[in-house]
Protein backbone atom coordinates (compact mmCIF):
# COMPACT_ATOMS: atom_id res chain seq x y z
CA UNK A 1 0.00 0.00 0.00
CA UNK A 2 2.82 2.40 0.85
CA UNK A 3 4.19 2.09 -2.67
CA UNK A 4 0.99 3.53 -4.10
CA UNK A 5 1.50 6.96 -2.59
CA UNK A 6 3.91 9.61 -3.74
CA UNK A 7 5.84 9.76 -0.48
CA UNK A 8 8.98 11.52 -1.69
CA UNK A 9 10.01 14.11 0.87
CA UNK A 10 9.22 17.60 -0.38
CA UNK A 11 10.29 20.75 1.44
CA UNK A 12 7.74 23.38 2.35
CA UNK A 13 8.97 25.69 -0.42
CA UNK A 14 8.07 23.11 -3.08
CA UNK A 15 4.58 22.73 -1.63
CA UNK A 16 4.13 26.51 -1.70
CA UNK A 17 5.37 26.66 -5.30
CA UNK A 18 2.91 23.91 -6.25
CA UNK A 19 0.11 25.76 -4.43
CA UNK A 20 1.00 28.98 -6.23
CA UNK A 21 0.91 27.22 -9.58
CA UNK A 22 -2.54 25.75 -8.90
CA UNK A 23 -3.85 29.11 -7.70
CA UNK A 24 -2.56 30.81 -10.83
CA UNK A 25 -4.37 28.31 -13.03
CA UNK A 26 -7.60 28.59 -11.02
CA UNK A 27 -7.58 32.41 -10.85
CA UNK A 28 -6.58 32.63 -14.51
CA UNK A 29 -9.49 30.41 -15.55
CA UNK A 30 -11.89 32.51 -13.46
CA UNK A 31 -10.51 35.78 -14.90
CA UNK A 32 -10.76 34.60 -18.52
CA UNK A 33 -14.31 33.32 -17.93
CA UNK A 34 -15.20 36.62 -16.22
CA UNK A 35 -13.99 38.67 -19.20
CA UNK A 36 -15.99 36.50 -21.58
CA UNK A 37 -19.12 36.62 -19.42
CA UNK A 38 -18.88 40.38 -18.89
CA UNK A 39 -18.76 40.89 -22.66
CA UNK A 40 -22.14 39.15 -22.85
CA UNK A 41 -23.48 40.27 -19.46
CA UNK A 42 -26.68 41.79 -20.87
CA UNK A 43 -27.46 38.65 -22.85
CA UNK A 44 -26.81 36.50 -19.78
CA UNK A 45 -29.06 38.68 -17.65
CA UNK A 46 -31.79 38.46 -20.30
CA UNK A 47 -31.51 34.67 -20.02
CA UNK A 48 -31.97 34.93 -16.25
CA UNK A 49 -35.07 37.09 -16.80
CA UNK A 50 -36.81 34.34 -18.82
CA UNK A 51 -38.27 32.67 -15.66
CA UNK A 52 -39.76 36.04 -14.72
CA UNK A 53 -41.43 36.23 -18.14
CA UNK A 54 -42.88 32.75 -17.58
CA UNK A 55 -44.25 33.89 -14.22
CA UNK A 56 -45.88 36.91 -15.86
CA UNK A 57 -47.59 34.64 -18.38
CA UNK A 58 -48.69 32.22 -15.62
CA UNK A 59 -50.24 35.16 -13.78
CA UNK A 60 -52.23 36.08 -16.89
CA UNK A 61 -50.59 39.50 -17.20
CA UNK A 62 -49.54 41.40 -20.29
CA UNK A 63 -45.99 40.35 -21.11
CA UNK A 64 -45.35 43.71 -22.80
CA UNK A 65 -45.81 45.46 -19.45
CA UNK A 66 -43.35 43.23 -17.61
CA UNK A 67 -40.26 45.22 -16.73
CA UNK A 68 -37.36 45.45 -14.32
CA UNK A 69 -36.07 48.77 -13.04
CA UNK A 70 -32.95 50.21 -11.44
CA UNK A 71 -33.01 53.23 -9.18
CA UNK A 72 -29.31 54.08 -8.92
CA UNK A 73 -27.18 55.12 -11.92
CA UNK A 74 -24.54 52.47 -11.22
CA UNK A 75 -26.95 49.69 -10.21
CA UNK A 76 -27.31 47.95 -13.57
CA UNK A 77 -23.54 48.14 -14.18
CA UNK A 78 -22.75 46.39 -10.91
CA UNK A 79 -25.54 43.93 -11.64
CA UNK A 80 -23.76 43.03 -14.87
CA UNK A 81 -20.52 42.60 -12.92
CA UNK A 82 -22.29 40.18 -10.56
CA UNK A 83 -23.77 38.31 -13.52
CA UNK A 84 -20.30 37.99 -15.04
CA UNK A 85 -18.86 36.72 -11.74
CA UNK A 86 -21.72 34.26 -11.37
CA UNK A 87 -21.17 32.92 -14.88
CA UNK A 88 -17.40 32.82 -14.40
CA UNK A 89 -17.71 30.67 -11.28
CA UNK A 90 -19.95 28.21 -13.12
CA UNK A 91 -17.76 28.05 -16.23
CA UNK A 92 -14.41 27.94 -14.41
CA UNK A 93 -15.52 25.46 -11.73
CA UNK A 94 -14.23 22.35 -13.60
CA UNK A 95 -10.79 23.94 -13.91
CA UNK A 96 -10.80 25.09 -10.28
CA UNK A 97 -11.90 21.64 -9.06
CA UNK A 98 -9.25 19.96 -11.24
CA UNK A 99 -6.53 22.17 -9.74
CA UNK A 100 -7.67 21.31 -6.22
CA UNK A 101 -7.61 17.62 -7.11
CA UNK A 102 -4.14 17.85 -8.66
CA UNK A 103 -2.83 19.57 -5.53
CA UNK A 104 -4.15 16.95 -3.08
CA UNK A 105 -3.81 13.87 -5.33
CA UNK A 106 -0.07 13.25 -4.62
CA UNK A 107 -0.94 12.78 -0.95
CA UNK A 108 -3.57 10.11 -1.68
CA UNK A 109 -3.24 6.40 -2.31
CA UNK A 110 -4.22 5.11 -5.75
CA UNK A 111 -7.46 3.62 -4.47
CA UNK A 112 -8.27 6.90 -2.73
CA UNK A 113 -7.64 8.85 -5.93
CA UNK A 114 -9.83 6.43 -7.87
CA UNK A 115 -12.59 6.84 -5.26
CA UNK A 116 -12.33 10.62 -5.15
CA UNK A 117 -12.41 11.22 -8.91
CA UNK A 118 -16.08 10.15 -9.50
CA UNK A 119 -17.21 12.62 -6.85
CA UNK A 120 -15.26 15.35 -8.61
CA UNK A 121 -17.35 14.64 -11.69
CA UNK A 122 -20.65 14.15 -9.86
CA UNK A 123 -20.42 17.38 -7.86
CA UNK A 124 -20.77 19.87 -10.78
CA UNK A 125 -23.43 17.70 -12.41
CA UNK A 126 -25.54 17.73 -9.25
CA UNK A 127 -24.99 21.48 -8.87
CA UNK A 128 -26.23 22.05 -12.42
CA UNK A 129 -29.27 19.86 -11.73
CA UNK A 130 -30.11 22.01 -8.71
CA UNK A 131 -29.64 25.17 -10.77
CA UNK A 132 -31.82 23.80 -13.57
CA UNK A 133 -34.59 23.02 -11.06
CA UNK A 134 -34.43 26.63 -9.86
CA UNK A 135 -34.40 28.09 -13.37
CA UNK A 136 -37.20 26.05 -14.90
CA UNK A 137 -39.52 25.65 -11.94
CA UNK A 138 -38.89 27.40 -8.63
CA UNK A 139 -38.00 30.88 -9.85
CA UNK A 140 -41.15 31.11 -12.02
CA UNK A 141 -43.19 29.75 -9.10
CA UNK A 142 -41.74 32.26 -6.63
CA UNK A 143 -42.20 35.20 -9.01
CA UNK A 144 -45.75 34.06 -9.82
CA UNK A 145 -46.49 34.05 -6.07
CA UNK A 146 -45.24 37.63 -5.75
CA UNK A 147 -47.05 38.78 -8.89
CA UNK A 148 -50.32 37.32 -7.58
CA UNK A 149 -50.12 39.75 -4.63
CA UNK A 150 -50.58 42.77 -6.89
CA UNK A 151 -53.71 44.86 -6.42
CA UNK A 152 -55.73 46.39 -9.22
CA UNK A 153 -57.24 49.87 -8.69
CA UNK A 154 -60.83 49.87 -7.56
CA UNK A 155 -63.32 51.53 -5.26
CA UNK A 156 -61.45 52.46 -2.11
CA UNK A 157 -58.31 50.69 -3.31
CA UNK A 158 -55.17 51.95 -4.97
CA UNK A 159 -53.11 50.11 -7.55
CA UNK A 160 -50.23 48.09 -6.10
CA UNK A 161 -47.86 46.81 -8.77
CA UNK A 162 -44.68 44.78 -8.61
CA UNK A 163 -41.73 46.52 -10.27
CA UNK A 164 -38.67 44.44 -9.29
CA UNK A 165 -35.20 46.00 -9.34
CA UNK A 166 -32.57 44.33 -11.50
CA UNK A 167 -30.19 43.92 -8.53
CA UNK A 168 -32.83 42.40 -6.26
CA UNK A 169 -34.05 40.00 -8.94
CA UNK A 170 -30.47 38.86 -9.58
CA UNK A 171 -29.89 38.40 -5.84
CA UNK A 172 -33.06 36.30 -5.64
CA UNK A 173 -32.19 33.95 -8.48
CA UNK A 174 -28.52 33.67 -7.42
CA UNK A 175 -29.54 32.85 -3.84
CA UNK A 176 -31.91 30.16 -5.06
CA UNK A 177 -29.35 28.68 -7.48
CA UNK A 178 -26.58 28.50 -4.87
CA UNK A 179 -28.98 27.17 -2.22
CA UNK A 180 -30.27 24.37 -4.41
CA UNK A 181 -26.81 23.70 -5.83
CA UNK A 182 -25.35 23.24 -2.35
CA UNK A 183 -28.28 21.11 -1.20
CA UNK A 184 -27.76 18.82 -4.19
CA UNK A 185 -24.21 18.16 -2.91
CA UNK A 186 -25.64 16.31 0.09
CA UNK A 187 -25.34 12.79 -1.41
CA UNK A 188 -21.74 13.53 -2.48
CA UNK A 189 -20.71 14.80 0.96
CA UNK A 190 -22.38 12.01 2.93
CA UNK A 191 -21.01 9.33 0.60
CA UNK A 192 -17.48 10.68 0.99
CA UNK A 193 -17.85 10.78 4.77
CA UNK A 194 -19.22 7.24 4.71
CA UNK A 195 -16.25 6.03 2.67
CA UNK A 196 -13.80 7.31 5.27
CA UNK A 197 -15.89 5.92 8.13
CA UNK A 198 -16.98 9.21 9.67
CA UNK A 199 -20.70 8.67 9.02
CA UNK A 200 -22.82 5.52 9.12
CA UNK A 201 -26.11 4.96 7.34
CA UNK A 202 -27.83 3.84 10.53
CA UNK A 203 -26.80 7.04 12.31
CA UNK A 204 -28.19 9.09 9.41
CA UNK A 205 -31.45 7.13 9.54
CA UNK A 206 -31.76 7.64 13.30
CA UNK A 207 -31.29 11.42 12.91
CA UNK A 208 -33.87 11.73 10.13
CA UNK A 209 -36.51 13.52 12.22
CA UNK A 210 -33.99 16.12 13.40
CA UNK A 211 -32.78 16.65 9.86
CA UNK A 212 -36.33 17.34 8.65
CA UNK A 213 -36.67 20.16 11.19
CA UNK A 214 -33.23 21.54 10.27
CA UNK A 215 -34.10 21.37 6.55
CA UNK A 216 -37.13 23.61 7.01
CA UNK A 217 -35.18 26.03 9.22
CA UNK A 218 -32.35 26.30 6.67
CA UNK A 219 -34.88 26.72 3.84
CA UNK A 220 -36.53 29.56 5.75
CA UNK A 221 -33.15 31.29 6.14
CA UNK A 222 -31.85 30.81 2.59
CA UNK A 223 -35.00 31.48 0.58
CA UNK A 224 -37.33 34.49 0.29
CA UNK A 225 -40.06 34.76 2.93
CA UNK A 226 -42.74 32.89 1.03
CA UNK A 227 -44.01 29.34 1.65
CA UNK A 228 -43.54 28.15 -1.94
CA UNK A 229 -39.77 28.64 -2.09
CA UNK A 230 -39.27 27.44 1.50
CA UNK A 231 -41.20 24.21 0.95
CA UNK A 232 -39.64 23.92 -2.51
CA UNK A 233 -36.15 23.85 -0.99
CA UNK A 234 -37.00 21.77 2.09
CA UNK A 235 -38.68 18.89 0.23
CA UNK A 236 -35.80 18.22 -2.24
CA UNK A 237 -33.40 18.46 0.71
CA UNK A 238 -35.29 15.76 2.59
CA UNK A 239 -35.44 13.61 -0.56
CA UNK A 240 -31.70 14.02 -1.10
CA UNK A 241 -31.13 13.04 2.54
CA UNK A 242 -32.88 9.74 1.83
CA UNK A 243 -30.69 9.31 -1.26
CA UNK A 244 -27.65 10.01 0.93
CA UNK A 245 -28.71 7.29 3.39
CA UNK A 246 -29.08 4.81 0.53
CA UNK A 247 -25.70 5.81 -0.93
CA UNK A 248 -24.05 5.39 2.49
CA UNK A 249 -25.52 1.89 2.79
CA UNK A 250 -24.15 0.98 -0.63
CA UNK A 251 -20.70 2.19 0.44
CA UNK A 252 -20.88 0.17 3.65
CA UNK A 253 -21.90 -2.97 1.76
CA UNK A 254 -19.06 -2.50 -0.70
CA UNK A 255 -16.56 -1.92 2.09
CA UNK A 256 -17.82 -5.01 3.91
CA UNK A 257 -17.47 -7.08 0.72
CA UNK A 258 -13.90 -5.83 0.18
CA UNK A 259 -13.03 -6.61 3.80
CA UNK A 260 -14.44 -10.11 3.38
CA UNK A 261 -12.37 -10.69 0.24
CA UNK A 262 -9.20 -9.51 1.97
CA UNK A 263 -9.94 -11.75 4.96
CA UNK A 264 -10.50 -14.76 2.69
CA UNK A 265 -7.22 -14.12 0.86
CA UNK A 266 -5.36 -13.79 4.16
CA UNK A 267 -6.95 -17.03 5.40
CA UNK A 268 -5.90 -18.87 2.21
CA UNK A 269 -2.32 -17.61 2.57
CA UNK A 270 -2.19 -18.72 6.21
CA UNK A 271 -3.51 -22.17 5.34
CA UNK A 272 -0.94 -22.49 2.52
Amino acid sequence: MSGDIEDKPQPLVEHLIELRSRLIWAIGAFFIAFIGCFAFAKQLFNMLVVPYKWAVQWAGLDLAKAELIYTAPQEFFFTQVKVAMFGAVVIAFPVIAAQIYKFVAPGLYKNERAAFLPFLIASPILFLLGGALVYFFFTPMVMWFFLAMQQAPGEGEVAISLMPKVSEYLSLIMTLVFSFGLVFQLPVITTLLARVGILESQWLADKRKYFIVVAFIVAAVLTPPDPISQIGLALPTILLYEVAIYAARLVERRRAAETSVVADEASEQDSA
Side-chain angles (χ1 to χ4, degrees):
M1 178 68 73
S2 61
D4 293 338
I5 195 171
E6 298 178 16
D7 54 0
K8 298 178 182 179
Q10 294 183 348
L12 178 61
V13 174
E14 291 189 12
H15 285 291
L16 293 177
I17 292 174
E18 177 70 11
L19 178 61
R20 183 188 65 179
S21 175
R22 300 305 173 194
L23 286 175
I24 290 174
W25 276 99
I27 295 174
F30 172 81
F31 182 73
I32 293 173
F34 173 80
I35 295 299
C37 290
F38 186 75
F40 298 95
K42 286 186 178 181
Q43 290 83 345
L44 292 174
F45 188 79
N46 286 329
M47 289 179 59
L48 295 177
V49 173
V50 170
Y52 176 59
K53 294 181 178 179
W54 294 338
V56 171
Q57 292 176 331
W58 294 355
L61 302 176
D62 186 3
L63 188 60
K65 296 182 180 179
E67 61 179 348
L68 301 176
I69 65 170
Y70 62 97
T71 57
Q74 75 280 7
E75 181 179 344
F76 189 46
F77 170 77
F78 284 112
T79 299
Q80 293 181 64
V81 172
K82 291 179 181 179
V83 169
M85 293 180 64
F86 179 72
V89 170
V90 174
I91 294 174
F93 179 80
V95 177
I96 296 172
Q99 296 307 310
I100 295 174
Y101 175 75
K102 289 181 180 180
F103 181 72
V104 302
L108 302 175
Y109 292 105
K110 287 184 178 179
N111 62 332
E112 292 174 337
R113 292 197 292 267
F116 186 76
L117 192 57
F119 297 107
L120 195 65
I121 298 173
S123 182
I125 293 176
L126 289 174
F127 188 91
L128 290 175
L129 286 176
L133 190 63
V134 169
Y135 185 86
F136 291 103
F137 182 72
F138 283 105
T139 299
M141 286 293 294
V142 169
M143 295 307 300
W144 170 81
F145 176 82
F146 292 144
L147 286 168
M149 299 177 67
Q150 295 183 117
Q151 178 175 287
E155 184 178 352
E157 296 180 343
V158 297
I160 301 176
S161 302
L162 173 65
M163 299 184 67
K165 296 172 62 178
V166 292
S167 59
E168 293 176 350
Y169 177 79
L170 179 64
S171 296
L172 171 65
I173 194 168
M174 285 178 60
T175 299
L176 289 174
V177 167
F178 279 116
S179 299
F180 277 78
L182 291 177
V183 165
F184 272 62
Q185 303 304 308
L186 186 61
V188 173
I189 295 172
T190 53
T191 306
L192 278 173
L193 294 176
R195 287 188 69 93
V196 298
I198 296 178
L199 287 181
E200 294 182 355
S201 60
Q202 187 58 46
W203 183 88
L204 292 172
D206 293 340
K207 303 300 181 181
R208 180 185 286 110
K209 57 184 178 181
Y210 302 108
F211 181 83
I212 293 174
V213 176
V214 172
F216 277 96
I217 293 175
V218 172
V221 173
L222 293 179
T223 60
D226 67 277
I228 294 178
S229 57
Q230 292 173 6
I231 296 174
L233 178 58
L235 290 182
T237 304
I238 296 170
L239 178 61
L240 288 169
Y241 187 77
E242 297 298 328
V243 174
I245 294 175
Y246 179 74
R249 286 174 179 167
L250 291 179
V251 170
E252 291 171 353
R253 291 173 186 171
R254 183 176 180 181
R255 187 169 59 235
E258 292 174 352
T259 303
S260 177
V261 170
V262 172
D264 292 341
E265 291 178 352
S267 177
E268 291 177 359
Q269 291 177 358
D270 292 340
S271 62

